[in-house]
PDB file of all heavy atoms in Angstrom:
ATOM      1  N   LEU A 436       8.545  28.788 -13.362  1.00  0.00           N
ATOM      2  CA  LEU A 436       7.835  29.373 -14.502  1.00  0.00           C
ATOM      3  C   LEU A 436       8.674  29.408 -15.769  1.00  0.00           C
ATOM      4  O   LEU A 436       8.200  29.100 -16.853  1.00  0.00           O
ATOM      5  CB  LEU A 436       7.350  30.784 -14.151  1.00  0.00           C
ATOM      6  CG  LEU A 436       6.245  30.842 -13.092  1.00  0.00           C
ATOM      7  CD1 LEU A 436       5.783  32.279 -12.870  1.00  0.00           C
ATOM      8  CD2 LEU A 436       5.063  29.956 -13.470  1.00  0.00           C
ATOM      9  N   LYS A 437       9.944  29.770 -15.633  1.00  0.00           N
ATOM     10  CA  LYS A 437      10.791  29.874 -16.826  1.00  0.00           C
ATOM     11  C   LYS A 437      10.933  28.498 -17.499  1.00  0.00           C
ATOM     12  O   LYS A 437      10.785  28.379 -18.711  1.00  0.00           O
ATOM     13  CB  LYS A 437      12.168  30.432 -16.445  1.00  0.00           C
ATOM     14  CG  LYS A 437      13.007  30.771 -17.679  1.00  0.00           C
ATOM     15  CD  LYS A 437      14.217  31.594 -17.282  1.00  0.00           C
ATOM     16  CE  LYS A 437      15.126  31.971 -18.422  1.00  0.00           C
ATOM     17  NZ  LYS A 437      14.851  31.452 -19.743  1.00  0.00           N
ATOM     18  N   SER A 438      11.186  27.485 -16.674  1.00  0.00           N
ATOM     19  CA  SER A 438      11.340  26.158 -17.292  1.00  0.00           C
ATOM     20  C   SER A 438      10.010  25.646 -17.825  1.00  0.00           C
ATOM     21  O   SER A 438       9.967  24.962 -18.846  1.00  0.00           O
ATOM     22  CB  SER A 438      11.963  25.173 -16.309  1.00  0.00           C
ATOM     23  OG  SER A 438      11.250  25.173 -15.108  1.00  0.00           O
ATOM     24  N   LEU A 439       8.919  25.994 -17.167  1.00  0.00           N
ATOM     25  CA  LEU A 439       7.607  25.584 -17.689  1.00  0.00           C
ATOM     26  C   LEU A 439       7.375  26.197 -19.072  1.00  0.00           C
ATOM     27  O   LEU A 439       6.833  25.565 -19.972  1.00  0.00           O
ATOM     28  CB  LEU A 439       6.490  26.017 -16.736  1.00  0.00           C
ATOM     29  CG  LEU A 439       6.269  25.091 -15.536  1.00  0.00           C
ATOM     30  CD1 LEU A 439       5.392  25.779 -14.484  1.00  0.00           C
ATOM     31  CD2 LEU A 439       5.625  23.770 -15.964  1.00  0.00           C
ATOM     32  N   LYS A 440       7.819  27.433 -19.199  1.00  0.00           N
ATOM     33  CA  LYS A 440       7.645  28.123 -20.481  1.00  0.00           C
ATOM     34  C   LYS A 440       8.620  27.594 -21.536  1.00  0.00           C
ATOM     35  O   LYS A 440       8.222  27.261 -22.654  1.00  0.00           O
ATOM     36  CB  LYS A 440       7.883  29.641 -20.269  1.00  0.00           C
ATOM     37  CG  LYS A 440       7.904  30.474 -21.543  1.00  0.00           C
ATOM     38  CD  LYS A 440       7.958  31.956 -21.230  1.00  0.00           C
ATOM     39  CE  LYS A 440       9.374  32.473 -20.931  1.00  0.00           C
ATOM     40  NZ  LYS A 440      10.237  32.581 -22.107  1.00  0.00           N
ATOM     41  N   ASP A 441       9.889  27.464 -21.156  1.00  0.00           N
ATOM     42  CA  ASP A 441      10.917  27.158 -22.153  1.00  0.00           C
ATOM     43  C   ASP A 441      11.105  25.667 -22.443  1.00  0.00           C
ATOM     44  O   ASP A 441      11.160  25.262 -23.590  1.00  0.00           O
ATOM     45  CB  ASP A 441      12.257  27.763 -21.725  1.00  0.00           C
ATOM     46  CG  ASP A 441      12.176  29.277 -21.675  1.00  0.00           C
ATOM     47  OD1 ASP A 441      11.259  29.843 -22.318  1.00  0.00           O
ATOM     48  OD2 ASP A 441      13.005  29.901 -20.979  1.00  0.00           O
ATOM     49  N   GLU A 442      11.250  24.876 -21.368  1.00  0.00           N
ATOM     50  CA  GLU A 442      11.559  23.458 -21.600  1.00  0.00           C
ATOM     51  C   GLU A 442      10.324  22.573 -21.579  1.00  0.00           C
ATOM     52  O   GLU A 442      10.300  21.518 -22.192  1.00  0.00           O
ATOM     53  CB  GLU A 442      12.469  22.904 -20.491  1.00  0.00           C
ATOM     54  CG  GLU A 442      13.782  23.590 -20.312  1.00  0.00           C
ATOM     55  CD  GLU A 442      14.288  23.347 -18.899  1.00  0.00           C
ATOM     56  OE1 GLU A 442      14.228  22.181 -18.440  1.00  0.00           O
ATOM     57  OE2 GLU A 442      14.698  24.321 -18.241  1.00  0.00           O
ATOM     58  N   HIS A 443       9.341  22.970 -20.788  1.00  0.00           N
ATOM     59  CA  HIS A 443       8.242  22.042 -20.523  1.00  0.00           C
ATOM     60  C   HIS A 443       7.000  22.296 -21.372  1.00  0.00           C
ATOM     61  O   HIS A 443       6.007  21.591 -21.249  1.00  0.00           O
ATOM     62  CB  HIS A 443       7.904  22.041 -19.029  1.00  0.00           C
ATOM     63  CG  HIS A 443       9.051  21.538 -18.193  1.00  0.00           C
ATOM     64  ND1 HIS A 443       9.319  22.007 -16.937  1.00  0.00           N
ATOM     65  CD2 HIS A 443      10.012  20.616 -18.463  1.00  0.00           C
ATOM     66  CE1 HIS A 443      10.389  21.385 -16.449  1.00  0.00           C
ATOM     67  NE2 HIS A 443      10.824  20.540 -17.351  1.00  0.00           N
ATOM     68  N   GLY A 444       7.079  23.330 -22.195  1.00  0.00           N
ATOM     69  CA  GLY A 444       6.078  23.524 -23.237  1.00  0.00           C
ATOM     70  C   GLY A 444       4.670  23.816 -22.764  1.00  0.00           C
ATOM     71  O   GLY A 444       3.706  23.395 -23.416  1.00  0.00           O
ATOM     72  N   ALA A 445       4.527  24.547 -21.652  1.00  0.00           N
ATOM     73  CA  ALA A 445       3.176  24.834 -21.158  1.00  0.00           C
ATOM     74  C   ALA A 445       2.321  25.491 -22.247  1.00  0.00           C
ATOM     75  O   ALA A 445       1.101  25.322 -22.279  1.00  0.00           O
ATOM     76  CB  ALA A 445       3.242  25.718 -19.917  1.00  0.00           C
ATOM     77  N   GLY A 446       2.968  26.208 -23.142  1.00  0.00           N
ATOM     78  CA  GLY A 446       2.224  26.894 -24.200  1.00  0.00           C
ATOM     79  C   GLY A 446       1.570  25.966 -25.216  1.00  0.00           C
ATOM     80  O   GLY A 446       0.639  26.352 -25.919  1.00  0.00           O
ATOM     81  N   TYR A 447       2.047  24.729 -25.290  1.00  0.00           N
ATOM     82  CA  TYR A 447       1.462  23.797 -26.252  1.00  0.00           C
ATOM     83  C   TYR A 447       0.002  23.469 -25.957  1.00  0.00           C
ATOM     84  O   TYR A 447      -0.778  23.145 -26.855  1.00  0.00           O
ATOM     85  CB  TYR A 447       2.245  22.479 -26.263  1.00  0.00           C
ATOM     86  CG  TYR A 447       3.395  22.470 -27.235  1.00  0.00           C
ATOM     87  CD1 TYR A 447       4.707  22.424 -26.783  1.00  0.00           C
ATOM     88  CD2 TYR A 447       3.158  22.484 -28.603  1.00  0.00           C
ATOM     89  CE1 TYR A 447       5.772  22.410 -27.675  1.00  0.00           C
ATOM     90  CE2 TYR A 447       4.223  22.470 -29.501  1.00  0.00           C
ATOM     91  CZ  TYR A 447       5.522  22.426 -29.037  1.00  0.00           C
ATOM     92  OH  TYR A 447       6.556  22.417 -29.924  1.00  0.00           O
ATOM     93  N   CYS A 448      -0.351  23.510 -24.688  1.00  0.00           N
ATOM     94  CA  CYS A 448      -1.724  23.149 -24.323  1.00  0.00           C
ATOM     95  C   CYS A 448      -2.680  24.185 -24.904  1.00  0.00           C
ATOM     96  O   CYS A 448      -2.547  25.371 -24.620  1.00  0.00           O
ATOM     97  CB  CYS A 448      -1.881  23.089 -22.812  1.00  0.00           C
ATOM     98  SG  CYS A 448      -3.615  23.006 -22.311  1.00  0.00           S
TER      99      CYS A 448
END
Side-chain angles (χ1 to χ4, degrees):
Chain A
L436 292 183
K437 189 167 179 355
S438 52
L439 279 166
K440 173 173 82 73
D441 296 340
E442 301 157 46
H443 296 147
Y447 271 113
C448 168

